Amino acid sequence: MTHDNSTHSRSGRSRIEEDRQREEDRARGRGTGAVMRVIVPLQGVVQGRGGVVLGSVIPCALFYFLQLYLKRHRSERAPREEVPPPPRRPSRSPRKPALVSSRALHVIEDENSPYYRGWQAYKENPYDAEHNPDGIIQMGLAENQLSLDLIEGWLKSHPEVSSWEGISDTPLSLRGIASHQDYYGMPILRSVMADFMCEVMKAPFNPDQIVLTAGATPAIEMLGFCLADPGNAFLVPSPYYPAFCRDLKWRAGVELVPVPCRSSDNFNVTINALDRAFSQTKKRRLTVRALLISNPSNPVGNILDSATLTMLLEFATEKNIHLVCDEIYAGSVYDSPNFTSIAKVLESGEFDKSRVHIIYGTSKDLCLPGFRVGVIYSYNDKVLKAAQQMSRFCSVSSQTQHLLINMLSDAQFIQQYLSENQRRLRKASLVLTEGLKEAGIKYVKSNAGLYCWVEMGSLMPSYSEKGELNLWDKLLNEAKINVTPGSACYCIEPGWFRICFSTLSCQDMTVALRRIQEFSKRRKRSL
């Protein structure tokens, strides 16, 4: 009896546990028990027909996908509430400025040169005879405005160059201009540019060796990129054009090594100075890749003769370096002796042409700096191929090319223009030098360029670079004349200044000379 009661009691507890289990299953929804009620019959069916393997795999897969469905279904019905992240505490440390590259910082530092500071002072207070007669007169910019009226007259008489009417279905039609062009210049423009350079320099030029760029500045920079690796050096006879540093160093990373030229040699480069600079550069563990020269010289205004050019070619060959010739003032030689291009010298002897490269452009000889047209003329196939690819970063606009093609193709106008421009340069140079004589200021006798190389050591408080910069500051802020000090041109001798004469009208030149003469008298009395 007792046994029966205990059995009954255990059966009661089993039923109670089963009821509790069912309640828990119902509380969880369709639980494992509910699933197994579906799975187990299927397993029995499958095992009876397909064997043990299929009878095990299929039910397990069904169980897995059913569990996944139930999980997603529950999450859709009762989505969890997202807790927002705690707010970030503001940093107590001071904010740091966003960094720029070291290259950008070097560019900013270089703008502290008097060459750029004078420009800035002029822009802030420009002279105007009527509206600002006490402003600064610009004599630090080598820009030719003396013959701009000739270009303007030609444009007025040829309105077709700014219109595409009547020239449809030609390479110079709007469709031809607006479509894709060679980045390094239209073939027609390269052809007429070669003819123009031949007229100016009296030497043969091949259109296939021309790469056009948006000005001479990118042309020089591109040659720096093609001829040297960052940290390599170019030798440059000094004094030299102040912005060569910008053109070659800022982006191409080329170091410029001045080759000092002295007044006793009329600032002409000598072989001894070249050898000394080359040896000293090697001792600094710098690799020299090229010799860069200006012919006609900037800032001195003289030209290099055939003998000097031959010496430079032989030096470059001996040292196995390139020779880069900046001939951008070739058409601005206004007095004897005549200009001699390096291209002319190459035709007269057995030289390695592959190491020679010429820079030219329309900014000086044609009064068109705003058109931004420069020329690389190279005898080196590898340099030409690389420059053609790189020119896509500095291409000349199609409209500008369209205009120049028409202008440079007018051979009669070009001949008349060059002759008249040289006459006007000669006259302006004479006016300036006569005014300097009256002020008792010495200068180098020159015959080319848009400037005069002037010696003002007698007006300096001390014979040093500091004394030179002091005089430059007085000229700028007291006489209101912006000129370029020789130290900005890396001149080894203090007291020299570049004074440009081609931006001023006759009336403005008279005012500028009067200011210089009066300033000179005051300085001499105070020293």
Side-chain angles (χ1 to χ4, degrees), residues 211 407 460 526:
V211 173
M407 181 185 295
M460 288 163 40
S526 64

Side-chain angles (χ1 to χ4, degrees), residues 17 20 78 107 320 341 476 486 527:
E17 290 174 358
R20 185 183 296 122
V107 170
N320 191 28
S341 171
L476 182 66
L527 292 176

Side-chain angles (χ1 to χ4, degrees), residues 266-335:
N266 204 35
F267 293 101
N268 288 314
V269 64
T270 65
I271 188 62
N272 290 335
L274 287 168
D275 284 330
R276 190 181 306 113
F278 187 86
S279 299
Q280 291 174 349
T281 306
K282 287 188 66 177
K283 289 179 181 178
R284 293 169 54 194
R285 297 185 178 180
L286 291 177
T287 301
V288 179
R289 297 305 302 270
L291 169 63
L292 170 61
I293 63 170
S294 296
N295 185 31
S297 168
N298 179 9
V300 179
N302 52 16
I303 62 174
L304 304 181
D305 57 22
S306 297
T308 302
L309 292 171
T310 300
M311 179 268 289
L312 297 175
L313 277 169
E314 292 173 347
F315 174 82
T317 302
E318 177 189 344
K319 304 301 184 183
N320 191 28
I321 61 177
H322 294 268
L323 179 60
V324 179
C325 300
D326 179 3
E327 299 186 350
I328 199 165
Y329 292 101
S332 299
V333 178
Y334 50 81
D335 208 345

Side-chain angles (χ1 to χ4, degrees), residues 360-400:
Y360 190 61
T362 62
S363 60
K364 309 301 182 182
D365 293 344
L366 282 175
C367 308
L368 298 173
F371 276 38
R372 309 304 306 147
V373 178
V375 175
I376 293 176
Y377 189 87
S378 178
Y379 297 87
N380 189 302
D381 290 339
K382 291 181 179 178
V383 170
L384 285 172
K385 289 179 181 178
Q388 288 171 357
Q389 293 296 321
M390 295 297 293
S391 62
R392 66 184 60 212
F393 298 112
C394 53
S395 300
V396 184
S397 73
S398 296
Q399 269 188 306
T400 299

